[in-house]
Amino acid sequence: MTEGLDLDFDGAEDLLRVWRNGMRPDPDLTVSEWADAHRWLSSRAAAEPGRYRTARAPYLREIMDALSPRHPAQRITFMKAAQVGATEAGNNWIGFVIHHAPGPMLAVLPTVEMAKRTSRGRLDPLISESPALRERVNPARSRDAGNSMLSKEFPGGILVLTGANSPTGLRSMPARYIFLDEVDAYPASADEEGDPVTLAEARTTTFSHRRKVFMVSTPTIRGISRIEREFEASDQRRYFVPCPHCGAMQWLQFERLRWEKGRPDTAAYHCEGCEKPIAEHHKTGMLEKGEWRATAVPADPHSIGFHLSALYSPLGWKSWAQIARDWLAAQGSEEMLRAARNTLLGETWVESGDAPEWQRLAERREAYGGVQIPAGGLFLTAGVDVQKDRIEVDVWAWGRGLESWLVDHIVIAGGPDDPACWDKLTALLGRTWTCANGAVMVIGKLAIDTGYEAPAVYAWARKQGFEQVAPIKGLEGFNRATPVSGPTFVDATIGGRRLRRGARLWSVATATFKTETYRFLRLERPSDEDRALGVLDAPGTVHLPDWIDTEWLKQLVAEQLVTVRNKRGYAHPEWQKMRERNEALDSRVYARAAAWIMGADRWDEATWRRLEAQAGVETRPPVTPTAVEGVAMEPATPTPAKAGTTTTPRRKRRAYTPNFMRD
């Protein structure tokens, strides 16, 4: 074909070589074959650097191959335990798309910040360590919009990374390929614009049957888990492996992992066919001979799903003995058991939404020994519920591990239309409560609901400043990753004048904190004998004073978590009232949200020690507020210490005076 061409010039051979390479068709590879041929693992991002080998985790082969263009599946769901190689399978797919099937691709992480970390920690090594990708994707440059941290251009396509909390990123472009990683950690709504998964999938509409959506996650809570819902709508594939003794094919279940009492190192899997124990060294051969089998009929024939527990983890990753040890370590803690079920078994946790009996709570009321704040309380928050004819305030003390004590319940008569009512609430911001050692505390953060008469609440909050006051808005649904989001500025109108910047409003997933509160209320207390031996209350224990009445206790347990089905038939949990009044529960949730806003869930050891030191040794007298009729105030005499302050007051800056104004 080169006859008659004048090739007597510099670069002719290079030109011919490029032309021949362009005319040669790409090999017909699957994603797993591509990974074995081209993928190299970097020591920066992998525990086992070097050439990628699908044989190391054979169960990933069919999952990756379902992502290949010639496979008919359009939606691939992978519900799995932690660290079984799922993210690397997704990265292999990204590499395959860049090299062999270019097109627009969207990768969605729970947050934009996680997307940036993924880009630096996983995608950059993926590209730099694989020559086939390095020659197609230029290094990220700050001045190159096409190749930045969150955008990678390559011949024939582009990869965009974004967070599920960014509606702009989810609407950024049409996409043929979508990789949704850790979907159960996504917020319930992308900045109140809708479900992030739905927004992302809408990007694939124009690609019809050629689209691919890969959804991966460790599951969370039964009924609210996105990945469980998608898996149950699929053909529900399980990885069947043969018994080395009798050859019976079976998928591994945790109930058949057994060990001698107190000796997790003896853990062995017992075959469901012959009941013989299977030692872990057989696992490699079992995984090699394993196969995926569908166990259900999907509603959509183009939707397939895979489930995998940590029992399948290859040798050198997560051993059966380590799984047994982790399971034993989780006993006695509902939170640790939930994490173990999610991360080890790859299964959802069933929340117990049953309300504790108010009579049981009444029996457990305590006398605080004449003090307002018991020794463990290190800072105060308040939850405020605004009603038509009154404002109810509950003040809670918080300690390490979110142990809490109700220290005051205040009802301010008058309602939001009465200015005196707001004056009394203002006075509470300066009131002090006494600790066991004589120190005093003021409310660190007061969270007030904006559901009733929001303009009045905004006006009062703006007047007080937002250092101590947090207006909040309750949202439906669960969000364990970020139960409180914000703040956002809310426009408001006062006297007909439009404000440039409104109140700072926090959004709270109330269902998350209600579930947590009920879990804390169900915690068992140590017996007198255990206390004599030094056993302490469990983290999260809720202490209620003996002066609280039964009506308040009934309000605290006035709701129950029930499972309801929507129009599409999907089940989801929902909190519903069992009695009309529930102010105590709402105020508790608001006070808990205030603790989250202060940062109690994220404080380091130094912060907790500083709070303990403040409660024990500081001698700064408190500021005495002006008394307001109807609200009890502390005496004006100096008290030994002021505690519960999480930050050191800033030094006042000296005002700058221009030269021409100076004397």
Side-chain angles (χ1 to χ4, degrees):
M1 294 180 65
T2 59
E3 294 180 4
L5 294 178
D6 182 9
L7 300 177
D8 188 18
F9 59 88
D10 290 340
E13 288 300 323
D14 292 335
L15 181 62
L16 283 174
R17 185 176 66 255
V18 172
W19 178 77
R20 292 190 188 103
N21 290 339
M23 294 298 292
R24 183 184 303 117
D26 290 331
D28 186 15
L29 298 178
T30 63
V31 174
S32 65
E33 290 170 344
W34 178 90
D36 288 335
H38 297 285
R39 177 80 192 277
W40 289 82
L41 299 173
S42 166
S43 57
R44 289 169 50 196
E48 300 177 1
R51 183 178 288 279
Y52 184 89
R53 295 181 298 117
T54 305
R56 188 74 174 94
Y59 48 77
L60 293 177
R61 187 182 308 278
E62 186 170 332
I63 298 174
M64 289 191 288
D65 290 351
L67 298 169
S68 306
R70 65 187 183 190
H71 196 285
Q74 296 177 16
R75 291 170 60 86
I76 299 93
T77 301
F78 189 12
M79 184 171 75
K80 47 83 180 182
Q83 298 181 343
V84 292
T87 300
E88 289 305 324
N91 290 338
N92 290 339
W93 184 38
I94 291 174
F96 174 87
V97 167
I98 294 173
H99 191 187
H100 275 293
M105 187 175 197
L106 180 66
V108 184
L109 282 298
T111 65
V112 173
E113 184 59 36
M114 289 184 67
K116 293 178 180 178
R117 290 203 302 266
T118 297
S119 179
R120 290 191 299 264
R122 290 185 178 270
L123 287 186
D124 287 349
L126 165 71
I127 295 168
S128 63
E129 298 295 329
S130 301
L133 304 181
R134 193 166 58 240
E135 66 184 20
R136 285 168 170 78
V137 182
N138 294 325
R141 295 188 297 271
S142 60
R143 295 185 180 180
D144 185 355
N147 289 284
S148 62
M149 185 180 297
L150 297 178
S151 177
K152 311 287 185 184
E153 285 189 355
F154 49 90
I158 183 173
L159 168 65
V160 173
L161 292 91
T162 189
N165 60 342
S166 170
T168 304
L170 296 174
R171 295 194 308 263
S172 61
M173 64 175 193
R176 178 182 176 185
Y177 310 107
I178 295 187
F179 179 23
L180 304 171
D181 199 10
E182 291 301 337
V183 295
D184 272 16
Y186 289 4
S189 178
D191 199 18
E192 300 187 17
E193 292 198 19
D195 176 45
V197 173
T198 303
L199 292 176
E201 284 196 272
R203 303 295 92 207
T204 67
T205 302
T206 57
F207 288 91
S208 185
H209 64 279
R210 296 187 298 142
R211 68 173 188 155
K212 291 280 185 182
V213 178
F214 186 32
M215 196 178 305
V216 179
S217 187
T218 301
T220 51
I221 307 299
R222 174 75 55 82
I224 65 173
S225 170
R226 288 187 176 94
I227 199 70
E228 181 192 49
R229 183 172 67 241
E230 296 296 334
F231 176 74
E232 290 183 345
S234 72
D235 59 359
Q236 302 182 29
R237 301 186 183 192
R238 310 275 187 176
Y239 198 63
F240 283 71
V241 294
C243 170
H245 305 303
C246 68
M249 297 294 287
Q250 58 203 290
W251 65 277
L252 303 184
Q253 303 177 60
F254 180 70
E255 292 74 16
R256 305 201 71 82
L257 184 68
R258 300 167 187 167
W259 57 90
E260 297 177 16
K261 186 175 182 180
R263 298 185 59 195
D265 291 339
T266 63
Y269 192 87
H270 287 248
C271 172
E272 67 179 29
C274 64
E275 289 293 340
K276 290 183 179 179
I278 302 172
E280 189 154 20
H281 66 81
H282 291 294
K283 189 192 292 186
T284 301
M286 296 167 66
L287 293 179
E288 290 176 353
K289 300 174 184 176
E291 60 185 44
W292 287 100
R293 295 181 180 177
T295 61
V297 177
D300 179 358
H302 298 293
S303 177
I304 63 175
F306 303 85
H307 174 264
L308 204 73
S309 73
L311 295 172
Y312 291 93
S313 188
L315 291 181
W317 290 12
K318 190 84 168 180
S319 68
W320 287 343
Q322 185 60 53
I323 292 173
R325 280 193 292 270
D326 291 349
W327 185 259
L328 288 175
Q331 303 307 304
S333 168
E334 190 169 348
E335 193 68 24
M336 291 179 66
L337 277 173
R338 182 179 70 85
R341 191 168 188 86
N342 294 161
T343 61
L344 296 179
L345 308 187
E347 297 176 358
T348 52
W349 172 260
V350 180
E351 287 279 16
S352 176
D354 295 335
E357 295 289 340
W358 70 266
Q359 294 91 338
R360 182 167 173 262
L361 298 181
E363 294 170 356
R364 290 168 53 167
R365 288 178 294 185
E366 309 169 33
Y368 292 166
V371 299
Q372 293 174 299
I373 305 174
L378 300 179
F379 69 98
L380 297 179
T381 68
V384 181
D385 188 28
V386 180
Q387 300 288 328
K388 181 178 180 180
D389 59 348
R390 67 194 184 284
I391 295 178
E392 298 209 9
V393 185
D394 283 338
V395 181
W396 289 84
W398 301 87
R400 286 178 178 267
L402 295 178
E403 190 172 1
S404 60
W405 295 261
L406 177 67
V407 299
D408 213 338
H409 172 62
I410 302 161
V411 179
I412 303 175
D417 295 333
D418 185 357
C421 187
W422 293 110
D423 291 340
K424 294 174 184 178
L425 185 60
T426 301
L428 287 178
L429 297 175
R431 178 178 168 179
T432 59
W433 284 261
T434 308
C435 301
N437 63 354
V440 296
M441 291 185 191
V442 296
I443 295 171
K445 185 73 72 175
L446 179 147
I448 180 168
D449 180 38
T450 61
Y452 183 79
E453 289 293 340
V457 176
Y458 294 153
W460 177 80
R462 192 182 300 104
K463 185 177 180 181
Q464 307 311 314
F466 301 106
E467 185 67 29
Q468 198 177 4
V469 175
I472 62 174
K473 172 187 177 183
L475 299 178
E476 295 295 330
F478 292 77
N479 189 341
R480 289 181 173 273
T482 312
V484 182
S485 58
T488 57
F489 287 95
V490 182
D491 290 334
T493 303
I494 295 182
R497 182 170 60 89
R498 187 77 170 177
L499 300 180
R500 288 183 59 194
R501 305 191 82 177
R504 297 180 185 177
L505 180 66
W506 297 83
S507 298
V508 180
T510 57
T512 303
F513 287 142
K514 288 176 182 179
T515 302
E516 179 193 78
T517 296
Y518 278 20
R519 184 170 72 250
F520 287 168
L521 288 172
R522 289 194 299 271
L523 290 174
E524 293 296 330
R525 303 287 179 84
S527 63
D528 293 339
E529 293 78 7
D530 289 338
R531 290 188 187 278
L533 296 174
V535 177
L536 303 177
D537 288 309
T541 298
V542 178
H543 301 269
L544 302 174
D546 55 2
W547 46 261
I548 202 68
D549 60 22
T550 57
E551 171 59 27
W552 188 93
L553 294 174
K554 291 177 181 178
Q555 293 178 20
L556 186 62
V557 294
E559 296 187 22
Q560 188 166 5
L561 189 64
V562 298
T563 300
V564 298
R565 292 187 177 273
N566 61 18
K567 294 180 180 178
R568 299 177 60 189
Y570 290 135
H572 66 278
E574 182 179 285
W575 284 95
Q576 295 183 356
K577 286 185 180 182
M578 296 183 294
R579 65 194 309 269
E580 184 59 30
R581 295 190 60 183
N582 65 339
E583 294 93 285
L585 179 59
D586 285 344
S587 297
R588 161 73 187 198
V589 168
Y590 305 153
R592 174 66 178 93
W596 176 282
I597 294 170
M598 290 183 69
D601 297 75
R602 304 171 294 282
W603 284 340
D604 57 12
E605 177 64 20
T607 303
W608 287 109
R609 289 185 178 180
R610 186 161 63 248
L611 287 170
E612 291 173 337
Q614 289 175 356
V617 298
E618 283 208 6
T619 57
R620 185 176 58 192
V623 177
T624 304
T626 304
V628 176
E629 183 182 356
V631 179
M633 306 300 296
E634 292 293 323
T637 56
T639 49
K642 184 175 181 180
T645 304
T646 58
T647 57
T648 304
R650 293 182 179 179
R651 185 186 303 173
K652 219 173 194 178
R653 281 192 171 186
R654 182 178 176 181
Y656 172 73
T657 306
N659 289 331
F660 70 87
M661 295 179 62
R662 297 176 182 173
D663 295 333

